Every structure is written in C-alpha cells, then in structure tokens.
C-alpha cells in the first residue's frame, strides 16, 4: 500500500534525530509511524517542513518538503500539487483542523489529531468531516474529549498511541520501569 503522511510542525526529516537534534512529540510520532509502515513493505512518503527543503530517502521512507505556504496553497505548494495529482491508498494528516476540506487523490483519509479539542475550532473541524474516514486520537481520554467537543461519533474515532522506539534507549529497561511505577 502507498501511504502519504503530512506532518507540518517543526522542521525535520529522517536524519534529524540521528544528528542529535531535538524534535517535538507529534513530529517524532509521525517519523516513527512512517518508519514502521515502511518496515512492513509499504511505500511511504512523508511531507514535512524539511530543514533543507531537499527530498531524501531514509529508512525506506521518502521525505519531501511541503513547499511554501501561501493563501492559494495553505498546506504548501509542493504538497498540494502532489496530493491532488498522485494517487495514494491512505493519507494521514496531523493536527491541521481543516486539512481534509480539500479533495486529494487518496482512497482513505485519516486525521491524526494530537491536540485537545477546542470549541472555537468546531466549525473548522466539522467542515472537513465529510472527507475523513477516521479521526485518530492519541488515547482513550483524547477520544472521549474529541467526541464531547466536536460531536464526532466514537465509532469514527480510533486511537493511535504515540510510542517509544525502545531500540533508541538500549541502556533503559522501558518495560520494567513502567511496570514498577507506583500510581499515586
């Protein structure tokens, strides 16, 4: 399958973390999801605010710059041109509350929100629901909150948790630390 991910937060590409540079949680989640999908044999293209505006392939993921944002192309001119013309099986977009008000050449559209729902965004969020197959929250709490604030039926909200790549921390026994943590 062919996946296109849109992760437009902090500038990054597949080399950012390897260079020891910092990266936000949503961007890291997008990067790790892309790597995982590619490791299962899927073709994955991730659009981001590339730090050098260059396309590159890292860990079998194609990283592409979204391009300049303008009034005509609020999602970036390079991304918009690609997404309207080139078909994909699944498009996953992070955060942007109006992303799917545009009609892209994708079979399945997933809106992966990482932020709490805000009533002031209700109109923007609801204007795109016609074009979304599933909303993805990061926890059961977040799912319930999205349902309460935006009125999205719970059956239309899935949970895609942010995870930790344990191989990045070989000196830490992540499972044991979490399992032994006392809840107060």
């Amino acid at each position: 399958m062919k996946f296109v991910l849109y992760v437009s937060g902090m500038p990054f590409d597949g080399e950012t973390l390897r260079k020891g540079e910092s990266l936000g949680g949503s961007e890291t989640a997008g990067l790790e999801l892309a790597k995982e999908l590619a490791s299962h044999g899927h073709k994955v293209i991730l659009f981001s605010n590339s730090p050098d505006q260059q396309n590159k392939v890292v860990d079998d993921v194609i990283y592409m710059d979204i391009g300049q944002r303008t009034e005509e192309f609020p999602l970036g001119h390079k991304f918009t041109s690609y997404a309207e013309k080139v078909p994909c099986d699944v498009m996953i977009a992070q955060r942007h509350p109006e992303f799917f008000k545009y009609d892209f050449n994708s079979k399945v559209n997933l809106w992966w929100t990482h932020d709490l729902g805000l009533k002031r965004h209700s109109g923007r969020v609801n204007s795109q629901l016609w074009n979304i197959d599933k909303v993805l929250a990061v926890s059961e709490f977040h799912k319930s909150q999205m349902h309460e604030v935006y009125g999205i039926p719970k059956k239309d909200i899935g949970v895609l948790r942010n995870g930790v790549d344990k191989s990045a921390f070989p000196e830490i026994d992540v499972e044991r630390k979490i399992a032994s943590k006392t809840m107060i």
Side-chain angles (χ1 to χ4, degrees):
M1 290 180 63
K2 182 177 177 183
F3 288 82
V4 172
L5 281 72
Y6 181 87
V7 184
S8 67
M10 296 173 65
F12 79 98
D13 60 31
E15 297 174 335
T16 300
L17 292 177
R18 290 182 183 165
K19 293 178 183 176
E21 297 172 7
S22 64
L23 192 56
S26 296
E27 294 83 5
T28 302
L31 182 146
E32 292 297 332
L33 176 61
K35 283 177 24 181
E36 187 67 21
L37 290 168
S39 76
H40 289 280
H42 300 292
K43 181 173 184 174
V44 181
I45 300 164
L46 189 150
F47 280 87
S48 69
N49 291 309
S50 173
D52 58 10
Q53 290 81 45
Q54 300 296 312
N55 298 340
K56 55 186 75 167
V57 179
V58 180
D59 297 321
D60 297 322
V61 175
I62 301 167
Y63 289 87
M64 298 179 74
D65 184 57
I66 65 171
Q68 183 178 2
R69 293 179 185 176
T70 63
E71 189 173 324
E72 184 180 4
F73 301 108
L75 302 175
H77 75 279
K78 291 179 185 177
F79 168 77
T80 302
S81 178
Y82 181 94
E84 289 178 343
K85 296 174 186 162
V86 181
C88 72
D89 296 301
V90 180
M91 182 163 306
I92 302 172
Q94 277 191 356
R95 303 180 102 169
H96 196 292
E98 294 179 296
F99 186 89
F100 286 111
K101 77 176 188 180
Y102 303 98
D103 197 14
F104 299 117
N105 198 350
S106 49
K107 295 177 185 173
V108 174
N109 294 325
L110 305 174
W111 181 48
W112 190 12
T113 179
H114 287 239
D115 304 303
L116 289 176
L118 300 174
K119 288 199 183 283
R120 69 175 179 247
H121 293 304
S122 291
R124 296 169 66 199
V125 168
N126 288 310
S127 74
Q128 69 172 349
L129 293 178
W130 67 273
N131 198 23
I132 295 175
D133 295 288
K134 197 79 148 177
V135 173
L136 301 174
V138 297
S139 68
E140 289 297 329
F141 169 82
H142 190 215
K143 176 180 177 174
S144 292
Q145 200 266 346
M146 297 296 290
H147 166 72
E148 289 171 25
V149 172
Y150 298 131
I152 302 168
K154 284 190 176 183
K155 68 177 183 52
D156 295 333
I157 306 172
V159 174
L160 180 58
R161 298 185 185 286
N162 292 341
V164 175
D165 178 3
K166 293 189 293 185
S167 70
F169 305 95
E171 67 282 359
I172 299 173
D173 183 353
V174 175
E175 290 175 305
R176 190 181 71 196
K177 298 278 186 201
I178 292 171
S180 65
K181 186 175 181 179
T182 303
M183 300 299 286
I184 298 176

